[in-house]
Amino acid sequence: MKRSTLVLLPFLMILGSAVQAQDDVAACSLIRIDQYYGLKEWDCRVPNTPVRISNIYTDKEGQKRVESISSQQNAMCDEQGVCSNSGNFAGNAPAGSYHYTFGWYLGPDTQGNPVSYRSGTGPGFGGKHFTAAEESRLAKTLPDVVCMPTASFNCSIDDKEIEDEDLPKYLPIVQEQDVKSAGGSCQSIPLCYDKHMKLLGLNKKYFK
């Protein structure tokens, strides 16, 4: 009995720390937009989750076992907003490809933006949708920006193409470390977003 308890503890500690990181909801960060098909790729993983985690399952004999698995799950969501992970239902979110954390599922917030919810919580289990912030303090005056990095950042602002070197004229420069410490992401090169997917500005490491 003591041995079983010790085996379960690492899993419970990992799961507990992941939940506390985002209070049952993890924001999705836009990684890229396919330049040919316009398909959006999103990162909805819980920040600071280990790459490998322990998963408890029951074998054919009814015995509980522990296996080490990747914490990252991948899903595709179709035009109807139905998401599938290798044929398994993964939630509901706008069309695109998604990366999310094991033990979580995809769903929209109150504004229709994608987020991930911890299993057992949120709209998929009869709970409430996450209430998106009406506006971010740092993003409320920023324009609409779309970037599709190739050899250059290939950004357009309010549907107008902007040269890479001119981007700081339109957007503030932010420190990636500060963004990440606040739960945001800078994976959508060269842009940084807060945890509610509100644009904060340009990643300083790309602009001298």
Side-chain angles (χ1 to χ4, degrees), residues 4-18:
S4 299
T5 303
L6 291 174
V7 170
L8 289 173
L9 279 176
F11 175 77
L12 293 175
M13 290 174 66
I14 291 171
L15 184 58
S17 63

Side-chain angles (χ1 to χ4, degrees), residues 8 18 58 75 82 92 126 138 154:
L8 289 173
T58 303
V82 178
N92 298 97
L138 296 177
N154 194 20

Side-chain angles (χ1 to χ4, degrees), residues 10 23 30 36-37 39 46 51 56 60 68-69 72 99 108-109 119 140 149 151 157 162 167-168 175 179 189:
D23 294 329
L30 183 62
Y36 298 108
Y37 302 103
L39 186 71
V46 177
V51 175
I56 302 174
K60 295 180 179 178
S68 175
I69 63 172
Q72 177 177 305
H99 309 293
D109 63 18
S119 293
K140 60 183 179 181
I157 294 180
I162 305 297
L167 287 171
Q175 292 278 3
V179 173
I189 298 172

Side-chain angles (χ1 to χ4, degrees), residues 160-175:
K160 176 184 177 182
E161 293 186 8
I162 305 297
E163 297 294 332
D164 290 356
E165 60 269 21
D166 290 334
L167 287 171
K169 296 178 181 179
Y170 299 87
L171 300 168
I173 303 293
V174 296
Q175 292 278 3

Side-chain angles (χ1 to χ4, degrees), residues 83-158:
C83 306
S84 174
N85 179 347
S86 300
N88 298 312
F89 181 68
N92 298 97
S97 64
Y98 291 82
H99 309 293
Y100 62 102
T101 300
F102 178 81
W104 293 59
Y105 69 96
L106 302 169
D109 63 18
T110 53
Q111 294 183 357
N113 299 312
V115 296
S116 63
Y117 295 92
R118 183 171 62 88
S119 293
T121 71
F125 291 83
K128 295 181 179 180
H129 289 77
F130 173 67
T131 301
E134 294 183 3
E135 61 182 13
S136 171
R137 178 177 60 85
L138 296 177
K140 60 183 179 181
T141 60
L142 299 185
D144 291 328
V145 184
V146 175
C147 297
M148 295 184 286
T150 51
S152 64
F153 294 135
N154 194 20
C155 296
S156 62
I157 294 180
D158 293 333

